[in-house]
Every structure is written in structure tokens, then in C-alpha cells.
Amino acid sequence: MTSVVTRSETPPIGPVVGMVGAGQLARMTQQAAIALGVELRVLANSPDESAARVIVDIRFGDYRDLAVLREFAAGCAAITFDHEHVPTGHVEALAAEGLAVRPGAAALVHAQDKAVMRERLTAIGAPCPAWARVSSAGDLEDFGKEHGWPVVLKAVRGGYDGRGVWVCSSVDEVEEVLAGDTELMAEAFVPFERELAVLVARSPHGQGVSYPVVETVQRDGICVEVIAPAPGLDPEQAAQAQHIALKIANELGVTGLLAVEMFQLADGKVMVNELAMRPHNSGHWTIEGSRTSQFEQHLRAVLDLPLGSPAPVAPVVVMVNVLGGEDPDIFSRYEHVMAHDPGVKIHFYGKEVRPGRKIGHVTALGTDLEEVRARARHAAAHLATGEYV
Amino acid sequence: MTSVVTRSETPPIGPVVGMVGAGQLARMTQQAAIALGVELRVLANSPDESAARVIVDIRFGDYRDLAVLREFAAGCAAITFDHEHVPTGHVEALAAEGLAVRPGAAALVHAQDKAVMRERLTAIGAPCPAWARVSSAGDLEDFGKEHGWPVVLKAVRGGYDGRGVWVCSSVDEVEEVLAGDTELMAEAFVPFERELAVLVARSPHGQGVSYPVVETVQRDGICVEVIAPAPGLDPEQAAQAQHIALKIANELGVTGLLAVEMFQLADGKVMVNELAMRPHNSGHWTIEGSRTSQFEQHLRAVLDLPLGSPAPVAPVVVMVNVLGGEDPDIFSRYEHVMAHDPGVKIHFYGKEVRPGRKIGHVTALGTDLEEVRARARHAAAHLATGEYV
């Protein structure tokens, strides 16, 4: 008879990388880990999480508990993250005990605390919107008077995918937020033409590489589409954006990936919006679209291996996210998508389908932007809802 | 505290594909399964096997035991194989119970029994070397007299990677083999110029696709290098080779992948050497080199989904196998290989390194054959032995 056994007794044959968090980023990192023979260990909350379904060496526990992190990290060649929520102090504590935590606390705090990030970026000369910490209606009123309305009110810590961000035209609109105990900051609203993102990697040895600048499209604060490279971007502006991202990675001492989300203004200039220090939605196109996927790159960087080529493999790559619709049976819709377009690549994250939830993405490659984008949009829309757009 | 738990209680969210065998083919299939949200279940012998290290839903048991197979197959949308050793009768029995076994027994037997394969291929007009069943020294002597020496003596069942094949110039050389109880056949030695392989996929619905014809280089019966596409191959000969492979897939009712190994003669014509009905070493280049990897293609085919584009993504792709050397510490040699060539792709199978054992492969892509091949050879040689070739 067959038997189900745990394999916890089997000694690893490759270096163990511990990733805190078991979402789709950890899941896709596993694909790269399999190729390199790296043993990916993940700290998860529950066995039905995206990465928990595909990773053998999984531990369950609370990442806010230092004892859990310490036990999780034992035996790992490097510790890294699929989200930014591990307390900075815990990251410091692990490093103090000699563990290779990548990125380290001194870098990671800039992806955890938007006020610290703004202070630092301003200090190193990276272009940012006007901003200020606010702790009262009066602070916000003053900021609005000085920089004009609308104002972007943000939680200093903890926001993601549009959560923790309020675009307001007056103090009244955010009364409740201001009355709460969330640490807040205000930013001038940037009348951007479009959003760009630059993904770079930096290794502990100090090697750095930048992927091509991409255009990102957000809807309700969630990334829904990425075009690589950003269409019509002036080569000098592209080089400048990459320079800014690499400079931030270097100045902050990032190890691993750094995604720099940017606004592009009407005059072509860019401003830094957000930072993330992990594989990023704006880099999913690299799985098929670049010589080195962002997931392989992150593993190489955190293991201090030489970085891989970020060269694109096609003139145009478009990634479109799949958000859950009303009908959860996504698999019944593979048939149409695959028959319609034998070249489109489907990624489903193994998550329970709920309306609006990010459950996967599709990638199309080619030479003509309109055609490639239409293919990717068609596939994503059909997977989500069964519609033929 | 963290805890190690089994996840056998977590219901699958995608279709379950059961693969019998847990070698590197199952391991690489898992990378494709992760993207598609397919839950790959594997039947393994031990937890240190290549795929056992990276697949959550793993069962341990003997594939020669029908009860084990039956229990393993329960709940699977399709059953498939990473090797050809499951008894044909068991495959028939599972299908009779209503399980979707792909390929089915009637096709699979042609990859298990070389005599059955030769009979069938001859009947459908596929070009083959002269051959005959032999059961005595006299039979072999007669065959040699008729077709000339050397003769290729083969075990009808069970050989792979050069095992079960004896090239002999006289009966005396294989006296021991002939004295054993192995079922044997003789084939005329083919004075081939080079070896080619054609990988095709066929779905239960009858859709078929062919990857480009590749050149394979064998050493001691083990595939060591694959060049895609086969250099200098006349387009008509390429089309003919693809036609032969697709015809075999169709006539035999193959579902899933079929690899057709061929000899190319001095006059350009091809002859079929061996068949395999699973992902194949000659198709590893497709992971980065084709729009659809052979592993994704196999999953699509066995799930009866529309097949993916087999289009290559670069003019030249070279795959070189990594065979274990004396020093097992392959990871210490990643540094040089990655720094030397940021574009080369490393695949390590998570197997214990032993001299001569196939432990991984590398793939290089580009436009110039000599340059791409040199890059792949350099990387593979260094990973194996630490040499700088």
C-alpha cells in the first residue's frame, strides 16, 4: 500500500533558503529553486496557502514571534521574505545572531515605513513628491494649503495593494482615519501621466543589475497590467530611472530584489512612489520574458551568487493579472484560453477563487504591442469571468 | 514554535495528475504544474529521490504492485509516468477501472517492448533498421551472416541509458548475455552520421504538435548534448522526420509526449532508433528554449487540454547534461559558472552526486552555434569537475 510520510528526516542536498510568508511570491520562487537545487523553506500560516501547496519544507507559525522566526531560520543559508510585515526588530535580532537575513533590517525598514523611506530618499536626492508626517486634522489642513488638494493620506506602515492609502479632497473625507491610532503621512498628489516600475537586484558582494523599465497599470490600487519595456520611453529617461533604482539599492544596502514604483509626469520626469524588497508583481513578466526570472534572481542575490542576465527575450512582453470572478472554476476556462492562443502562458496561484482576489496572471510575448496586449487581456479576462473580450 | 505538519488533509484546488516515478522528469514537471495550478502527485521509492524533494503530495510504494498503483491513482484526473517500467498489464487494469492512464497500455507497450515496437513501426512503414528476435547463439550468427557485423544485441525490455544494449562483432562477445534468460533481439548496426530526435505531443482529442528536430549526442549510451534545431538539417528532411514522429504518435494512439530517437544516415535519410513516451532528455532545452516546455506540454496533453506552441524562442539552443564528477560539491562551482556567463541556465536535479551519474543539465541560448555550444559545454564541464574548459 502507498503511504503518506513526512520527509523532514531527509537531509537537504542544496543550500536552504528560508522565506517568511507563503503567498504566490514564495510559490513562484519554488519554481526557480527547483531548477537551482536550492531547498526553499517557507513559514506559512496555513496549509492551504499558495506556496504551502507546493513546498515540502514548510513550517507553520506566526512571523511576529521571534522564537518562531529563530526556529524557522535554523540551518538556513539565507533568510528572506515574501512580504514586508516581519517586525524590523526581529530582523535585527536574527542578524545579530549571525543569520544571513536578506534584505537586512537597515534596508528593509525603507519598505516597511514610508516616512523613513521618504526621509532617506530625500536625503540621497531621489525625486519624491512633497510629503510630511501628519497626526491631526490641522496638520493635514496645513499640508493641503501648502501643496494643494487632493492630498494622498497614507498609513506609514502596513499598507499594500491600495490598502492604507486615501486620496482626499478635504480633511472631512478622512475624519475617521485621522481619529484612529494609525501613524499617518501626507503626500502631494502627483498628476502623473503613467506609472513605471524598475526592478533591480543587488547582492551582498555589491553586484547590481536592472531589468528594463516597465509600465504598470493599477486599478483600485492593485497592479493589473505590466508592459515590458515601457512603451515609448525615452532611452535617457529609462536610463535615469534605472540609475535611480540602482542608486537606492546601493545607498540602502539592499540585498535581494528591489522594486521601485515610479510616477512619470507630463514632462517625462519620474518620481519615486513606493519601494518593495522582494519579488514584485511588476516583475512577473520576467518568468518567460527575461533570460533570468525575478525569482531566480532573488535566490541568486540572497545566496550571494553572481546575478543573472536581465535581458528580455522578446521585443514586447505583457503581463495581465487574473482577478477572481463569480465563478470559481477557473480550470474549466483553460480550454478556451489555450486553444485560442497556444503561446499565452497561464499562471494560477492555487488560491481559492474569490471575487476581486489576485489569483493568477497571464503573460504574452511578441513584437507588436497592441497585438500582444490584446492577447494577454483576452486570456486574463476569460480566465477570470468566462467572457470573450 | 514552528511545527512540521503533513498537508494530506488539505483538499487539492486544481486537477491532480499522478506521475509514477520520482526522478528528475517528475521534478521538472513540478515546475510546470506549479504554474498551471495542477497538483502533481508522485509515486516514489524513497524520500531522497529527485522529485520527492520538491513535491508535497508524494506516496511511497512499489509500482510493480497493482494495489499500490490503484491506491495511488485514486482521485487523479490523469495518471502518467516518468519511466516506462510499470507492467503493461497493470496499466491495462487501471484503465479498465475507468482511470485516465496516459499514455494507455496499447501505446505504452511500444516504449516498453522493443520487438513489439519494431513490428508495429515496420507495419506502419516507419523506417527502421533490419531486426529479428534472437534466442540463441545460432539465431545471432544467422542474423550477423545476413546483415553483417557488428550487430546490435538488445534486451527487448527494461534497458535505458545504454543499459541492455550490446554492440558485438561476434557471437563470442555476448556469450554471457545469450546464456542468460533475458529476452533478446538483434538489429543491424546503422552506420549513422549523427543522431536526431523528434519530440511530439498528442492529446486524447487527437491534437498533435511537433517540436523542432534536434541533434543529440550520446556518450556511452547516455545523452550528453542536444542542439536545437539540428544544425544544417535540410528543411524537407526535418519535415519528414516530424511527419514520421507525428504519424507514430497517431498510429500508436499516444497520449502525452512521444520522443522518437532517430539515426541520420550519410544520404540524409532517417531511421527510427528508440521511442519514449514521457518527457525526454532530448527535450530539456524546451524549458527556456521553447514557448512551451515539454513538461507543460505533457501536462496539457495528459489533461486533454489544448497543446501549447512548440516555437523556439532563440535561433540556437544547446543543452548539455551534467554528469557527476569526483567532487560532489556542485554548489561551490555555481560561482564561476554564473559569473562567467550570466545567461546560462543551471538545472540541478537534487540528486546525490556520484561519478558518471546524470545530476543536472545546463542550457544556453543565442544565435551562433559554436558560441552557444561552447558556453553550454563550459558551464556543464565546470559544474561537473571544476575544470575550466
Side-chain angles (χ1 to χ4, degrees):
Chain A
M1 289 288 134
T2 63
S3 51
V4 178
V5 305
T6 62
R7 278 152 289 168
S8 50
E9 311 297 301
T10 313
I13 209 161
V16 180
V17 170
M19 185 173 258
V20 178
Q24 63 261 29
L25 302 177
R27 182 183 175 99
M28 291 185 272
T29 303
Q30 169 71 340
Q31 294 176 282
I34 289 173
L36 294 178
V38 168
E39 314 247 352
L40 190 63
R41 176 186 299 175
V42 160
L43 184 62
N45 294 313
S46 88
D48 63 355
E49 286 182 291
S50 180
R53 294 176 173 280
V54 299
I55 288 173
V56 172
D57 187 1
I58 195 144
R59 315 292 168 97
F60 295 96
D62 187 339
Y63 60 78
R64 295 165 301 187
D65 180 340
L66 180 56
V68 164
L69 292 172
R70 198 176 275 135
E71 191 181 330
F72 173 74
C76 289
I79 307 299
T80 189
F81 311 95
D82 108 325
H83 60 66
E84 278 107 2
H85 308 317
V86 176
T88 321
H90 291 0
V91 177
E92 272 166 0
L94 294 175
E97 290 165 22
L99 292 160
V101 190
R102 290 164 182 172
L108 187 62
V109 67
H110 299 90
Q112 297 178 315
D113 185 309
K114 296 187 206 305
V116 169
M117 182 266 279
R118 284 290 179 230
E119 276 160 7
R120 185 66 180 276
L121 293 200
T122 308
I124 67 173
C128 290
W131 72 282
R133 291 177 188 271
V134 293
S135 53
S136 66
D139 286 353
L140 183 60
E141 193 65 55
D142 290 348
F143 188 88
K145 270 189 199 142
E146 185 176 353
H147 300 287
W149 298 91
V151 165
V152 184
L153 188 66
K154 287 182 173 179
V156 166
R157 285 181 160 258
Y160 69 100
D161 272 0
R163 281 178 254 195
V165 176
W166 304 269
V167 179
C168 54
S169 297
S170 73
V171 170
D172 295 351
E173 286 177 28
V174 289
E175 217 165 2
E176 266 183 52
V177 180
L178 288 161
D181 55 3
T182 307
E183 200 182 338
L184 297 168
M185 58 188 283
E187 290 188 355
F189 181 85
V190 177
F192 60 86
E193 293 282 304
R194 62 173 172 174
E195 293 185 76
L196 303 175
V198 188
L199 185 66
V200 299
R202 183 175 175 278
S203 73
H205 260 85
Q207 195 198 354
V209 302
S210 173
Y211 286 92
V213 181
V214 300
E215 178 175 336
T216 66
V217 181
Q218 324 281 327
R219 194 177 303 142
D220 302 329
I222 297 179
C223 176
V224 292
E225 188 171 299
V226 173
I227 305 164
L233 185 64
D234 178 84
E236 271 187 39
Q237 282 161 352
Q240 197 215 349
Q242 291 181 312
H243 174 77
I244 290 168
L246 284 165
K247 180 173 177 176
I248 293 171
N250 206 42
E251 293 279 350
L252 271 49
V254 174
T255 49
L257 290 177
L258 170 71
V260 183
E261 297 181 50
M262 299 180 179
F263 298 124
Q264 187 174 35
L265 312 183
D267 64 2
K269 293 219 172 70
V270 296
M271 272 189 182
V272 176
N273 180 19
E274 304 279 359
L275 303 184
M277 291 181 200
R278 48 170 172 75
H280 192 249
N281 202 150
S282 68
H284 291 349
W285 69 274
T286 60
I287 298 174
E288 296 91 5
S290 169
R291 198 57 77 217
T292 308
S293 84
Q294 66 165 342
F295 301 100
E296 179 183 342
Q297 198 73 284
H298 190 65
L299 287 174
R300 289 165 79 137
V302 303
L303 287 169
D304 206 8
L305 287 165
L307 301 177
S309 164
V313 302
V316 177
V317 186
V318 176
M319 187 283 328
V320 178
N321 278 113
V322 179
L323 305 184
E326 295 298 329
D327 176 1
D329 185 14
I330 178 171
F331 291 100
S332 68
R333 299 187 289 272
Y334 276 29
E335 186 81 25
H336 168 77
V337 170
M338 289 178 168
H340 183 78
D341 185 348
V344 78
K345 306 316 295 179
I346 296 176
H347 295 259
F348 175 57
Y349 303 154
K351 290 157 81 168
E352 206 187 305
V353 177
R354 288 198 297 262
R357 189 183 200 196
K358 206 187 275 177
I359 54 167
H361 75 266
V362 299
T363 304
L365 298 88
T367 52
D368 179 77
L369 172 58
E370 294 307 318
E371 181 247 333
V372 174
R373 185 164 53 189
R375 287 170 51 208
R377 284 181 178 175
H378 177 91
H382 190 82
L383 283 174
T385 66
E387 280 170 46
Y388 303 89
V389 296
Chain B
M1 288 288 135
T2 63
S3 52
V4 178
V5 304
T6 62
R7 277 152 289 167
S8 49
E9 310 298 302
T10 312
I13 208 161
V16 180
V17 170
M19 186 173 256
V20 179
Q24 62 262 28
L25 302 177
R27 182 184 175 100
M28 290 185 273
T29 303
Q30 170 72 339
Q31 294 176 283
I34 290 173
L36 294 178
V38 168
E39 313 247 352
L40 190 63
R41 177 186 299 174
V42 161
L43 183 62
N45 294 312
S46 88
D48 63 354
E49 285 182 291
S50 180
R53 295 177 173 278
V54 299
I55 289 173
V56 172
D57 186 1
I58 195 145
R59 314 293 168 97
F60 296 95
D62 187 339
Y63 60 78
R64 294 167 301 186
D65 180 341
L66 180 57
V68 164
L69 291 172
R70 198 176 275 136
E71 191 181 330
F72 173 75
C76 289
I79 309 299
T80 188
F81 311 96
D82 108 325
H83 59 66
E84 279 107 1
H85 307 319
V86 176
T88 321
H90 291 0
V91 176
E92 273 167 1
L94 294 175
E97 290 165 21
L99 292 159
V101 190
R102 291 166 181 170
L108 187 61
V109 67
H110 300 91
Q112 297 179 314
D113 185 308
K114 295 186 207 305
V116 170
M117 182 265 281
R118 284 291 179 229
E119 275 160 9
R120 185 66 179 275
L121 293 200
T122 307
I124 67 172
C128 291
W131 73 281
R133 292 178 188 271
V134 293
S135 54
S136 66
D139 288 351
L140 182 59
E141 193 65 55
D142 290 347
F143 188 88
K145 270 188 199 144
E146 185 175 351
H147 300 285
W149 298 90
V151 165
V152 184
L153 188 66
K154 288 182 174 180
V156 167
R157 287 180 160 257
Y160 69 100
D161 273 1
R163 279 178 254 193
V165 177
W166 304 269
V167 179
C168 54
S169 297
S170 72
V171 169
D172 296 350
E173 286 176 30
V174 288
E175 217 166 3
E176 267 183 51
V177 179
L178 289 162
D181 55 2
T182 307
E183 200 182 337
L184 296 168
M185 58 190 283
E187 291 187 354
F189 181 84
V190 177
F192 61 86
E193 292 283 303
R194 61 173 173 174
E195 291 185 78
L196 303 175
V198 187
L199 186 66
V200 300
R202 184 174 174 278
S203 73
H205 260 86
Q207 195 198 354
V209 301
S210 174
Y211 286 93
V213 182
V214 301
E215 178 175 337
T216 65
V217 181
Q218 324 281 328
R219 195 176 303 139
D220 301 329
I222 296 178
C223 176
V224 292
E225 188 170 298
V226 173
I227 305 166
L233 185 64
D234 178 84
E236 271 187 39
Q237 282 162 353
Q240 196 215 350
Q242 291 181 313
H243 173 78
I244 291 169
L246 284 165
K247 180 173 177 175
I248 294 171
N250 206 42
E251 293 278 351
L252 272 48
V254 174
T255 48
L257 290 176
L258 170 72
V260 182
E261 297 182 50
M262 298 179 179
F263 298 124
Q264 188 174 35
L265 312 182
D267 64 2
K269 294 219 172 71
V270 296
M271 272 189 184
V272 176
N273 181 19
E274 304 279 358
L275 303 184
M277 291 181 200
R278 50 169 171 74
H280 192 250
N281 202 150
S282 67
H284 291 349
W285 68 275
T286 61
I287 297 174
E288 297 90 6
S290 170
R291 197 58 77 218
T292 308
S293 84
Q294 66 165 342
F295 301 101
E296 178 184 342
Q297 198 74 284
H298 191 64
L299 288 173
R300 290 166 79 139
V302 302
L303 287 168
D304 205 8
L305 288 165
L307 301 177
S309 165
V313 304
V316 178
V317 186
V318 177
M319 188 281 330
V320 179
N321 277 113
V322 179
L323 304 185
E326 294 298 329
D327 176 0
D329 185 15
I330 177 171
F331 291 101
S332 68
R333 298 187 289 271
Y334 276 29
E335 186 82 24
H336 167 78
V337 170
M338 290 178 168
H340 183 78
D341 185 348
V344 79
K345 307 316 294 178
I346 296 176
H347 295 259
F348 175 57
Y349 303 155
K351 290 158 80 170
E352 205 188 306
V353 177
R354 289 199 296 263
R357 190 184 199 194
K358 206 188 274 178
I359 54 168
H361 74 264
V362 299
T363 304
L365 297 88
T367 51
D368 180 76
L369 172 59
E370 293 307 318
E371 182 247 332
V372 174
R373 184 164 53 188
R375 287 169 51 208
R377 284 181 177 175
H378 177 91
H382 190 81
L383 283 174
T385 65
E387 279 170 46
Y388 303 88
V389 295

